[in-house]
Amino acid sequence: MRTSRHVFPAATAALLFAGAALAAPPATEDWPAFRGPDAMSVADDDPRLPESWSTEENVAWVVDVPGLGWSSPIVQGDRVYLTTVWSEGEVEEPKKGLYLGGNRMQPSADQHHWSVYCLEVETGEKCWEREVLVGAPDFPRHLKVRTRFGWGTAASPVVHNGQLYVVNDNEDQSFLMALDAATGEELWRDAREEGSNWATPFVWENELRTEVITPGTDQVRSYDEQGNLLWHFGGMSSIAIPQPFSKYGLLYVSSGYIGDQVRPVYAIKPGAEGDITLEKDQQSNRWVVWYQPQAGAYNPTPLIYRDRFYTLLDRGFFTAHDPKTGAEVYGKQRIERGSGAFTASPWAYNGKVFVLSED
């Protein structure tokens, strides 16, 4: 379960929920994508799931994986899949928190190894490892992510109805592409008038149709399954990272770069067409059910749990709104004095919301 990104430095992969693992439920529930099967980051309530853990408490197993991995592990059946890349040369340690100066403008000349790992859910035993690429990278890296300023890409691919959707928003030519998930054949590709973005797309199955939602700094766009543009709107912050998601028949889209005055959240209803951008001073229109100008987070994706829309702000504050109306339930609440650098998205079960700082 990641954010925008989870990093596994010197990468250690750990199955934390030992209680559930040791209880051996009849079938393993799949977690097939970033933020789970519905992009909601909510697990079914289960008393076996622990409320706390450490590097030793409530840990079923730990497996050391070499290198650095920014992608979210997934669970399918009785297997865990994850990716990593390790370098044969010296590697600078990742930095924590919000900071400037992490750009590294020149690519490394050292050999790198990109690999995929498959582990057993119950034991952590390695089933297989596949090395998919070896060589010196042709791009630089950023110490927090890696492109604008050489930050690299971060949007995860999404699979739906046999199609694999890939968004690649960059400084040269951005595009949305659909591949045949079984064969890799390119089915279609649409050029996008966008610069770099880091948001994972979301497939929205609403009461009227299926839509592929792609956030962007310039425009949020919705496409049908053939790549045709359905609707779009502007008004996001200057960096788009959180993933959209749906609940109560609405689509929620947000962004919140900390350097911007506007850090918005939008709730959209199905059936929109064309340009649905809000006019100045509007809080809603025919398709935008509600709008909050300063409720978006920079890195973490918001969470809806038990009729509350929760936003985790990067510097350690929480807010809550009514997901159906946008009305504020409570304003900024500090999680813990002295805590900061929250990049991972929150998740919830058993009546509790969990947040994981970089510390």
Side-chain angles (χ1 to χ4, degrees):
M1 301 177 248
R2 90 186 155 175
T3 158
S4 295
R5 310 301 99 193
H6 260 174
V7 63
F8 297 89
T12 299
L15 179 66
L16 297 175
F17 301 144
L22 297 177
T28 302
E29 293 186 16
D30 293 339
W31 194 269
F34 171 43
R35 303 187 70 243
D38 300 316
M40 291 293 292
S41 280
V42 175
D44 291 336
D45 290 345
D46 189 328
R48 296 170 297 180
L49 294 174
E51 295 181 3
S52 63
W53 56 86
S54 67
T55 55
E56 297 178 352
E57 175 196 13
N58 286 327
V59 174
W61 51 260
V62 176
V63 173
D64 288 327
V65 178
L68 297 169
W70 290 106
S71 61
S72 173
I74 64 170
V75 177
Q76 193 75 35
D78 58 357
R79 298 287 187 266
V80 179
Y81 302 90
L82 66 151
T83 65
T84 186
V85 56
W86 63 273
S87 171
E88 295 181 8
E90 293 289 325
V91 176
E92 268 186 284
E93 287 297 312
K95 298 287 194 293
K96 294 185 291 188
L98 300 168
Y99 66 94
L100 299 175
N103 303 344
R104 298 297 179 263
M105 303 313 293
Q106 296 300 318
S108 170
D110 297 320
Q111 290 283 96
H112 283 58
H113 300 253
W114 286 262
S115 297
V116 180
Y117 281 74
C118 174
L119 311 176
E120 285 192 1
V121 164
E122 295 295 330
T123 66
E125 180 179 347
K126 184 168 71 174
C127 303
W128 50 260
E129 174 191 354
R130 299 288 185 272
E131 194 169 74
V132 296
L133 182 64
V134 179
D138 57 5
F139 47 83
R141 69 181 285 246
H142 187 285
L143 290 188
K144 189 175 182 71
V145 279
R146 284 179 333 195
T147 91
R148 189 189 310 176
F149 302 124
W151 287 350
T153 59
S156 297
V158 174
V159 177
H160 181 77
N161 282 348
Q163 292 194 168
L164 175 70
Y165 297 103
V166 177
V167 171
N168 188 327
D169 283 350
N170 56 72
E171 297 303 293
D172 296 323
Q173 178 56 71
S174 299
F175 61 87
L176 169 65
M177 175 174 62
L179 306 175
D180 185 301
T183 67
E185 176 189 359
E186 183 174 318
L187 302 177
W188 51 261
R189 177 189 297 237
D190 280 352
R192 290 163 53 80
E193 294 298 321
E194 279 288 342
S196 301
N197 290 296
W198 294 270
T200 294
F202 174 66
V203 177
W204 184 23
E205 292 185 286
N206 58 58
E207 61 190 36
L208 300 177
R209 61 198 179 194
T210 298
E211 307 179 36
V212 183
I213 310 299
T214 62
T217 297
D218 181 55
Q219 295 277 301
V220 176
R221 295 175 176 86
S222 169
Y223 302 84
D224 66 18
E225 293 178 282
Q226 288 72 49
N228 300 305
L229 183 65
L230 298 172
W231 53 262
H232 59 95
F233 69 85
M236 297 283 272
S237 68
S238 58
I239 296 178
I241 293 177
Q243 184 186 29
F245 60 95
S246 176
K247 184 78 171 176
Y248 306 118
L250 299 176
L251 172 74
Y252 301 91
V253 186
S254 66
S255 64
Y257 176 54
I258 56 170
D260 294 347
Q261 288 298 311
V262 176
R263 301 183 293 276
V265 177
Y266 298 88
I268 313 295
K269 66 181 179 181
E273 295 180 357
D275 188 349
I276 66 170
T277 303
L278 291 173
E279 300 290 341
K280 186 178 180 180
D281 299 326
Q282 273 191 320
Q283 300 296 308
S284 63
N285 61 23
R286 181 183 177 188
W287 304 112
V288 179
V289 177
W290 60 261
Y291 160 72
Q292 281 284 352
Q294 293 186 323
Y298 180 29
N299 279 295
T301 296
L303 171 76
I304 291 180
Y305 186 55
R306 297 192 176 181
D307 295 326
R308 292 290 181 266
F309 184 100
Y310 295 105
T311 300
L312 169 62
L313 302 176
D314 298 66
R315 288 172 171 165
F317 291 88
F318 233 71
T319 65
H321 293 80
D322 185 312
K324 298 175 184 176
T325 67
E328 183 178 276
V329 177
Y330 56 77
K332 287 184 179 180
Q333 305 291 316
R334 181 175 286 281
I335 295 171
E336 182 178 82
R337 192 164 298 279
S339 66
F342 286 86
T343 306
S345 300
W347 71 97
Y349 58 76
N350 292 348
K352 291 183 169 58
V353 174
F354 296 84
V355 297
L356 184 68
S357 80
E358 295 186 22
D359 293 315

